[in-house]
Amino acid sequence: MVIDCHGHYTTIPKRFEEYRRLQVAACTCGQPAPVLPAMASDDELRESVEGAQLQRQRDRGTDLTIFSPRALGMGHHLGDAKASQEWTVLCNDLIHRLCQLYPQNFAGVCQLPQSPGVAPANCIPELERCVRELGFIGCNLNPDPSGGWWTDPPLHDKWWYPLYEKLVELDVPAMIHVSGSCNPHFHATGAHYINGDTTAFMQFLTSGLFKDFPTLKFIIPHGGGAVPYHWGRYRGIAQDMGLPPLKELLLDNVFFDTCVYHQLGMELLLKVIPARNILFASETIGAVRGVDPETGHYFDDTKRYVDAADFLSAADRELILSGNARRVYGRLAA
Amino acid sequence: MVIDCHGHYTTIPKRFEEYRRLQVAACTCGQPAPVLPAMASDDELRESVEGAQLQRQRDRGTDLTIFSPRALGMGHHLGDAKASQEWTVLCNDLIHRLCQLYPQNFAGVCQLPQSPGVAPANCIPELERCVRELGFIGCNLNPDPSGGWWTDPPLHDKWWYPLYEKLVELDVPAMIHVSGSCNPHFHATGAHYINGDTTAFMQFLTSGLFKDFPTLKFIIPHGGGAVPYHWGRYRGIAQDMGLPPLKELLLDNVFFDTCVYHQLGMELLLKVIPARNILFASETIGAVRGVDPETGHYFDDTKRYVDAADFLSAADRELILSGNARRVYGRLAA
């Protein structure tokens, strides 16, 4: 079995995107919010994923996608806290309906109703609803709800602790995933995403967060940002700071996905990071949509790169393709 | 011959650091600035580098270091524009004196008197002084003088154009190098440095900057941040945007150094990026100071990693170790 731990609902029907546009515009202009759209019909939902995510699953031989709302669409920096709450509920309900329609293909991960300047404890009710009532198995946590200005406290700050306590209680991991950027310095998928990953890793490295939460689990997507490429740098920085080896310091709590879109990058990840810390993922359909002219295959067909890494043992391959996902997403088996 | 294109004067005598501390404190408290310290004596300068950078050159078999003031020490976000100007002149003068003392060992690269909110055109007089009067061959350009808040315009903005015009006129490249971070999200050498590199690359990728400046040259340090590891992602993003292949789009203008502190990371860089775009560098003595217990050698002894990459042709090795530096730093030969 192959579990892809990182898929987003990037093919949401247009009318929901239009609602969001009007909702954000209403916040900005002080006009009344638009009417909440009716839930998508089964046909509408099927149409949105059949030729897209589900087709790719079949084409690539992946079985289950751990599926969450579109990351760029979260837009925690847009509108206000109330708009974020309403939009989040709507997005999570759509994921839930898809998981009901395709229980063999999708397992739900929720968006959180974050908003810059608002304490993350506000996310607890929606997290509980998604996990306890809708059967979701994880959440996406945005380390920068300001959208590129990084104005809220870092991830090791007590600001986040109530949410972490709930994650531990519910036994669900969080994928660290920024949303869009309204800072002109940061291209969203090319800079802000990767920087967010690298930044989160260093926040974990320099803090005692996992002393306080020994069972808290984070997935750092996009192959861990820059981290595996600079693994020597991070090992050296930790050593210079008098910290224990990274394996001891972090690797019971921090995991990397395989969203790296070329063979040599994937092989670096697989060689540098212990197999038990790597979860297969493709972020399909996501940041890179095209076919690589050098290979004739989709850039984001990451399974091909893993398949071609012939140095992996059968046991390690099994961990990466599904075993680790089952362990890290403790509610997946249920 | 081996040219290390990335060395900083991290061993500056303490009295200059103390002056800087008082200078910044004076800005904050509105007190008069401290008296500018006397220039370092030859003995003081020798003592600061003999057992340090020069010893490492001898130990590692590198010949010439392209040498600039300490990057963390630039602190463009500290004090004010006048303080930045005075500190920059002092730092550059120290580099100049070292280059005079050790003309075979050091070639100078200058710090710029940047300050957040101040147009970079203010850097032109100091750049001209360093290049024309002191014989410097390049500069370090901080893409975020705010120190982690990214509040000035991005690198493709016309805000930067007068400085670029001068770089082109003088035939000197700029290394993109942030300084410290006062944003609690960003660990300086572990996150802000690497994020700055990745961010700059995406700013180059998404802009037509090199249409306006076809001969402008930038070195992205720290192995190009996350870029080579995610080369497939960047090729795919460019393709999705309808841009030409990265080689055509950027690689006459953008170069990566080899500050990657483990063998597998270095090999990725050397295999993914064309040899003519890679400049040997170690950033010694810099961000990572310790010895890797796995190898028994300094993490930042990057020459060992390059030497061990036996797939490099002799011609490519020569380009990486010195040929590219001679070409990119057009004034080096002189």
Side-chain angles (χ1 to χ4, degrees), chain B residues 245-312:
Chain B
L246 294 183
K247 201 170 166 181
E248 249 171 74
L249 184 67
L250 295 169
L251 293 187
D252 286 336
N253 307 90
V254 174
F255 302 84
F256 302 102
D257 84 7
T258 66
C259 293
V260 180
Y261 295 159
H262 61 144
Q263 188 66 37
L264 288 167
M266 181 67 80
E267 291 186 6
L268 175 91
L269 169 69
L270 299 175
K271 286 176 180 172
V272 168
I273 304 298
R276 69 186 300 280
N277 290 86
I278 302 173
L279 276 66
F280 175 74
S282 69
E283 202 183 0
T284 300
I285 295 168
V288 177
R289 311 237 167 162
V291 168
D292 184 348
E294 293 183 8
T295 65
H297 301 289
Y298 283 105
F299 279 105
D300 68 1
D301 187 354
T302 52
K303 183 144 179 303
R304 284 182 175 273
Y305 311 133
V306 176
D307 287 349
D310 53 14
F311 53 86
L312 282 179

Side-chain angles (χ1 to χ4, degrees), chain A residues 130-149:
Chain A
C130 289
V131 174
R132 293 195 199 276
E133 296 173 27
L134 308 185
F136 283 35
I137 60 169
C139 68
N140 290 334
L141 187 155
N142 184 346
D144 172 32
S146 75
W149 298 103

